[in-house]
Amino acid sequence: MSPAKRYANKQAKARQRRRLNAQQRLERDRRQAQQAAEALHQALEELGLPETLVREIEGRLQSQQKLLSKIVGVMFPALFGCRTPSELCRVRGWDKNWPSRLLHALPKRSWLKRLRRLGLEVLVPLWRHVAGKSEASQSRWQWTWVVDDSVFHKYGEQLGLVGHWWSGQQHRVLAGIDGLLLVVVIGDGKLVVPVDFAVRRPDPVGAGGPCRDKLTWAREMIDARLLALSKRGLHLPAPIITADSWFSDSKLMEHVRHRHQGTLVVEGKVSYTFTLADGRHVNGHDLLEGKRDKWSWRNHPWTPGVCYVRLQATSPTYGAVTVVIVDEHGKDRYYLLCLETALSGPVLIRRWRRRHWIEFVFRVLKHLLATESCQVHSEDAYYGHLVLRLMASFVLFYTSRVVCKGRLTMEEMIFSLKHYWRFVDLEPLGLQALS
């Protein structure tokens, strides 16, 4: 065989292998999309959304057809490669008014009630399942309450919810809707359950008192959720609540301590002043920028590369407090602040580290689920939009962690369904393997 013919045969076989591998990759991606859709439907069934939320909306709309597929589309437009409801209707071939009708089906109180009920229906069985276990098992399923707010970029002063708020993510003032979220982190992130949500109204222009601030909202949300859990017969230990420095209010800390015997852990500020047990007067700048030999550092017993200092101090604002300075390799030093407690430094650091899960929820809402792309013009519909996307973020997390047991991430589910949903055959979600 001549070298030219040998080369031609070699190239032909290589092209055939590439085509075969491409076909195999395509079949694998289609199988993964089918598995992701089935896992998502299983999560919806286990969480009871078809029996509760879908049935209530069908009853309000007096619909003769099953609305699960349309509600799932409004919850997860990114699964179909869309961001806005108009794109979703165009891609799925729906009536363009369907998303608006679904979001207007319930008033805002009913939307929020559905979100709170979902949190209770997840947390109560979990607690009763773990309550009879050993202390070691219970320590792996600890509850950490996290509260934080985020600004959803939005124009339109006529909506009544749009104001100008400081965005910590973009470090500037934005026109948008400020949403306050309360979640419960199970363990080190086994589950992140949203239990309550509120939208802060901007203060009225002219005469009239100011609207409730985030501290008032946080206190009311924490009180209401703990009361609801106690009415379900749960005898919870003293809650540990984490929040950023914006929630470092002495009245809120004292309220959590006296009302719930709990501990509110926040990040300290540079401007705070303290009197240490040995009589020294220091401020937040000394704690963050002071020389290392100024403190007696200890190595973190569970995390390598982390050192901490636990101090008992007195603050003119907070009274007797516990301060934990944390120095982690490669990161800026910070310190944690709470009212005087017997909890050790490593325990406070571990609970504080779980606060980042609420930032993860906001990132999923904004980037994976395109929550800021909303085209409704009424308050009830916007509450419905935000609540459905919050439920969608939890369903995705539940699908990834519980149903798929970590074998399939949320990003992989969205990517595979976004590109191959036309080849998925799943009748409850309205997918019929159209090519």
Side-chain angles (χ1 to χ4, degrees):
M1 183 183 297
S2 65
K5 190 172 182 180
R6 186 182 300 112
Y7 177 79
N9 289 342
K10 183 179 179 180
Q11 295 301 318
K13 291 179 180 179
R15 283 194 298 270
Q16 185 177 0
R17 283 198 305 271
R18 284 196 295 270
R19 281 196 295 268
L20 179 63
N21 290 338
Q23 184 66 26
Q24 291 174 344
R25 287 195 297 270
L26 180 61
E27 293 176 355
R28 180 200 63 194
D29 293 339
R30 290 180 180 178
R31 284 196 304 270
Q32 183 172 330
Q34 181 71 33
Q35 293 170 0
E38 293 174 355
L40 192 67
H41 181 246
Q42 180 181 343
L44 291 170
E45 293 288 344
E46 290 181 4
L47 295 173
L49 292 181
E51 297 296 324
T52 56
L53 176 67
V54 176
R55 246 181 217 186
E56 183 174 359
I57 294 178
E58 290 174 352
R60 291 292 184 102
L61 295 179
Q62 298 180 355
S63 175
Q64 301 298 321
Q65 56 177 312
K66 299 296 183 181
L67 297 182
L68 177 61
S69 61
K70 291 181 172 59
I71 293 176
V72 169
V74 175
M75 291 173 67
F76 308 95
L79 296 182
F80 307 98
C82 305
R83 294 182 62 84
T84 62
S86 59
E87 293 179 8
L88 178 67
C89 293
R90 187 168 59 250
V91 168
R92 296 300 309 271
W94 295 342
D95 180 2
K96 65 179 182 180
N97 297 317
W98 260 119
S100 179
R101 290 182 61 192
L102 292 175
L103 296 178
H104 283 89
L106 302 178
K108 69 175 185 180
R109 290 187 61 183
S110 297
W111 284 117
L112 293 175
K113 189 183 296 183
R114 280 296 166 197
L115 178 66
R116 294 162 184 161
R117 187 176 299 176
L118 175 64
L120 291 175
E121 290 173 352
V122 173
L123 291 176
V124 171
L126 270 178
W127 176 259
R128 289 175 177 165
H129 173 72
V130 178
K133 303 291 183 180
S134 64
E135 292 185 1
S137 297
Q138 292 181 10
S139 67
R140 293 192 294 270
W141 292 85
Q142 293 172 337
W143 290 13
T144 304
W145 298 74
V146 187
V147 60
D148 201 359
D149 69 321
S150 184
V151 179
F152 297 92
H153 197 44
K154 177 74 177 175
Y155 295 102
E157 301 290 344
Q158 72 278 4
L159 189 58
L161 300 175
V162 177
H164 290 83
W165 314 96
W166 172 261
S167 173
Q169 183 181 12
Q170 301 191 24
H171 302 286
R172 62 188 180 95
V173 176
L174 292 179
I177 294 177
D178 189 22
L180 190 66
L181 179 62
L182 177 66
V183 303
V184 175
V185 180
I186 308 296
D188 285 327
K190 291 181 173 67
L191 274 181
V192 182
V193 185
V195 293
D196 207 350
F197 180 77
V199 175
R200 289 177 59 199
R201 287 183 173 276
D203 292 338
V205 178
C211 296
R212 279 181 286 187
D213 58 5
K214 66 171 69 177
L215 298 174
T216 305
W217 273 116
R219 184 178 68 248
E220 293 181 357
M221 292 163 64
I222 292 169
D223 292 348
R225 294 303 90 209
L226 288 173
L227 179 61
L229 289 169
S230 65
K231 287 182 177 179
R232 296 286 184 107
L234 270 64
H235 302 287
L236 300 174
I240 298 180
I241 306 167
T242 62
D244 60 17
S245 58
W246 288 89
F247 294 87
S248 56
D249 179 68
S250 59
K251 294 180 181 178
L252 181 59
M253 287 185 172
E254 292 173 359
H255 177 81
V256 173
R257 170 61 55 86
H258 297 307
R259 179 75 178 271
H260 307 291
Q261 291 74 48
T263 304
L264 174 60
V265 184
V266 299
E267 185 176 1
K269 295 183 179 180
V270 178
S271 58
Y272 292 166
T273 59
F274 305 97
T275 302
L276 301 182
D278 57 7
R280 286 185 295 169
H281 296 278
V282 296
N283 56 28
H285 184 270
D286 299 329
L287 302 179
L288 298 176
E289 304 295 338
K291 296 181 179 179
R292 284 185 59 88
D293 55 8
K294 192 175 181 179
W295 313 106
S296 299
W297 294 92
R298 297 183 179 181
N299 292 324
H300 196 289
W302 307 318
T303 307
V306 177
C307 300
Y308 72 95
V309 178
R310 187 180 185 277
L311 303 172
Q312 298 296 123
T314 303
S315 166
T317 304
Y318 302 98
V321 296
T322 298
V323 177
V324 180
I325 313 173
V326 185
D327 194 353
E328 188 171 354
H329 179 70
K331 296 184 180 180
D332 295 334
R333 189 187 304 176
Y334 63 91
Y335 76 94
L336 306 178
L337 174 68
C338 65
L339 297 184
E340 189 174 16
T341 179
L343 297 174
S344 66
V347 170
L348 293 174
I349 295 172
R350 168 183 281 181
R351 294 303 185 97
W352 169 257
R353 284 170 171 265
R354 295 171 184 172
R355 196 192 73 84
H356 81 278
W357 284 108
I358 198 170
E359 300 173 356
F360 174 80
V361 173
F362 284 130
R363 192 161 56 246
V364 170
L365 287 173
K366 293 183 178 181
H367 301 291
L368 284 185
L369 297 176
T371 304
E372 295 177 323
S373 300
C374 183
Q375 298 172 328
V376 298
H377 301 287
S378 72
E379 188 173 326
D380 290 342
Y382 209 93
Y383 266 92
H385 169 77
L386 292 172
V387 168
L388 283 179
R389 295 299 167 87
L390 270 172
M391 289 182 175
S393 68
F394 175 66
V395 170
L396 281 176
F397 198 90
Y398 184 90
T399 306
S400 175
R401 289 299 181 94
V402 178
V403 178
C404 298
K405 302 189 184 304
R407 294 189 296 268
L408 198 63
T409 64
M410 293 188 291
E411 292 82 0
E412 290 172 341
M413 284 190 289
I414 289 180
F415 182 83
S416 60
L417 283 171
K418 179 171 68 173
H419 291 283
Y420 300 103
W421 65 269
R422 293 178 177 86
F423 305 98
V424 173
D425 187 9
L426 192 61
E427 185 180 354
L429 299 186
L431 301 174
Q432 300 176 356
L434 300 176
S435 59

